Amino acid sequence: MAMSSLLPGATTRGIFASSSSVLPCAGSRVERCNARRLAPIRCVGVQAETIAADNLFRDYKPRTAFLFPGQGAQELGMGKSAHEVGEAAALFAKASNILGYDLLDVCMNGPKEKLDSTVISQPAIYVASLAAVEALRAREGGQAIIDSIDVACGLSLGEYTALVFAGVLSFEDGLKVVKKRGEAMQAASDATKGGMASVIGLDPVKVQALCDAANEEVSEEDRVQIANFLCPGNYAVSGGLKGIDAVEAKAKSFKARMLVRLAVAGAFHTQYMASAVPTLEAALADIEFKVPRIPVISNVDAQPHSDPKIIKEILAKQVTSPVQWETTVKTLLSRGLENAYELGPGKVISGIFKRVDKNSPPVTNVSV
């Protein structure tokens, strides 16, 4: 997640044909906690050659980005135009063979409860997003756009999609890992009975204070934390159901404008998902990862990594680590991003860009 021989402007068609998804203001308490959490990725004692191998994209200068959505973006009817693009339809057919069920039929016809389940929604969004790349390729001028992409990132699950686009692993291998990831996260969710909620209208320091207040009233197994730093005024908290109930009960007293329960199976991006890590590590170990041909920004630390071994390690950490999406967007914009495309269902990412910076470049949505 060998494509390393491809130059950044090279076509990605071979990738899909191969057989082989915010840190707050500087100095805040939340930022310091996150910095301590992320530091081990480049800890003292890592061999110099490993650090050097991982620094290929240290000074990357993004101009045009591909952005891939994560779980929650699924919607009934997605994939409805896949049959109009041969390569997109082929991806759904390959996926159905790997998964053992007709994925496109589930995307089109549901039922919604089935599509929304973790084990189905993750492969569905992954395939629909890469099918959107093929839909773009089929348009006039689409290949030129694809060739111009010099950075990719994805929201949680979307990081896997971005890594496939960047040539790190094949479509088939990526789907196999995503399938295992969804199954492992569902199993962890069934075992822990957690949930998530978006807190709207507060900065991250106040959201952390809200979590702290909620945690004073629940037992250790129901504690909550910030799990997703999406954009200013929108931070998702994750944890035990009683902890989420406590957050909801206290949100108004903290001046939150709104609290929205998220339709997810469990407490994603926290230690509640720890039991999913060994399964995911085993799945990743079985897959060959290659050096990305373009930078792919990690959800864990908002940095691009080039060492395949480190990419695998970070992906395993991703399910228990907060998503640093606001920092990712701010970094892309500060480094000169000029244009972006959101590939896949929904328009969540394009909305986030405007929330981070109302003067951000346009994000064009492409879906099938």
Side-chain angles (χ1 to χ4, degrees):
M1 284 196 124
M3 290 295 298
S4 57
S5 60
L6 285 180
L7 297 175
T11 177
T12 60
R13 185 176 302 276
I15 297 171
F16 303 148
S18 172
S19 61
S20 326
S21 78
V22 173
L23 291 180
C25 299
S28 74
R29 176 159 54 94
V30 179
E31 183 180 50
R32 293 195 298 271
C33 289
N34 279 326
R36 289 194 296 272
R37 182 186 300 115
L38 302 181
I41 293 173
R42 294 175 179 272
C43 60
V44 175
V46 175
Q47 294 182 352
E49 57 266 30
T50 300
I51 295 175
D54 198 47
N55 277 344
L56 179 62
F57 303 117
R58 181 182 58 187
D59 299 319
Y60 76 102
K61 299 185 185 304
R63 291 296 177 265
T64 306
F66 266 3
L67 313 167
F68 297 99
Q71 188 171 352
Q74 71 274 4
E75 54 191 10
L76 277 179
M78 67 184 192
K80 60 183 178 296
S81 61
H83 65 280
E84 299 173 6
V85 180
E87 292 293 338
L91 291 184
F92 275 100
K94 288 180 182 179
S96 295
N97 288 334
I98 292 170
L99 298 170
Y101 57 86
D102 190 335
L103 180 65
L104 184 56
D105 179 66
V106 176
C107 289
M108 291 287 295
N109 303 308
K112 187 177 186 302
E113 294 76 17
K114 184 175 183 179
L115 180 60
D116 285 345
S117 68
T118 299
V119 294
I120 301 293
S121 63
Q122 292 198 20
I125 295 164
Y126 167 88
V127 175
S129 297
L130 290 173
V133 176
E134 295 304 331
L136 176 61
R137 192 194 309 278
R139 298 180 185 178
E140 183 177 356
Q143 185 61 57
I145 293 172
I146 292 171
D147 291 344
S148 73
I149 301 304
D150 51 20
V151 65
C153 51
L155 188 55
S156 189
L157 161 73
E159 188 171 337
Y160 288 82
T161 322
L163 289 166
V164 170
F165 176 76
V168 176
L169 69 167
S170 70
F171 169 81
E172 292 86 351
D173 284 345
L175 180 58
K176 291 173 184 176
V177 175
V178 166
K179 178 177 181 291
K180 288 288 188 181
R181 181 182 188 265
E183 292 170 349
M185 291 176 68
Q186 183 65 62
S189 299
D190 292 342
T192 58
K193 302 301 181 184
M196 298 183 70
S198 283
V199 180
I200 310 299
L202 298 181
D203 65 38
V205 174
K206 290 181 180 178
V207 176
Q208 183 60 53
L210 172 59
C211 289
D212 292 342
N215 287 336
E216 291 179 357
E217 298 187 358
V218 298
S219 60
E220 185 70 25
E221 59 266 24
D222 278 306
R223 292 174 65 85
V224 294
Q225 69 178 70
I226 302 177
N228 199 329
F229 295 86
L230 271 176
C231 60
N234 189 346
Y235 303 97
V237 300
S238 190
L241 292 179
K242 291 181 179 178
I244 297 296
D245 288 342
V247 169
E248 184 173 28
K250 293 178 176 296
K252 185 173 292 187
S253 66
F254 277 79
K255 310 299 184 186
R257 190 168 77 249
M258 187 185 309
L259 184 137
V260 180
R261 296 268 188 153
L262 301 182
V264 296
F268 296 163
H269 297 291
T270 71
Q271 286 302 313
Y272 288 80
M273 293 290 107
S275 62
V277 173
T279 299
L280 182 55
E281 287 177 331
L284 291 167
D286 287 340
I287 302 298
E288 180 186 6
F289 274 40
K290 299 173 182 178
V291 176
R293 59 186 184 83
I294 59 173
V296 175
I297 312 304
S298 164
N299 281 265
V300 172
D301 62 0
Q303 297 293 325
H305 297 274
S306 50
D307 186 318
K309 180 175 181 292
I310 291 179
I311 293 172
K312 286 187 178 185
E313 292 173 353
I314 291 176
L315 285 176
K317 292 179 180 180
Q318 193 216 63
V319 294
T320 57
S321 300
V323 173
Q324 304 295 338
W325 192 252
E326 182 176 348
T327 297
T328 294
V329 174
K330 287 181 176 179
T331 301
L332 290 174
L333 295 175
S334 69
R335 285 176 174 256
L337 187 71
E338 298 173 354
N339 205 2
Y341 294 81
E342 181 175 7
L343 284 297
K347 298 182 179 180
V348 171
I349 294 176
S350 58
I352 289 174
F353 264 70
K354 287 302 181 185
R355 288 292 301 275
V356 171
D357 185 346
K358 64 181 180 180
N359 296 315
S360 65
V363 177
T364 302
N365 300 96
V366 182
S367 62
V368 291

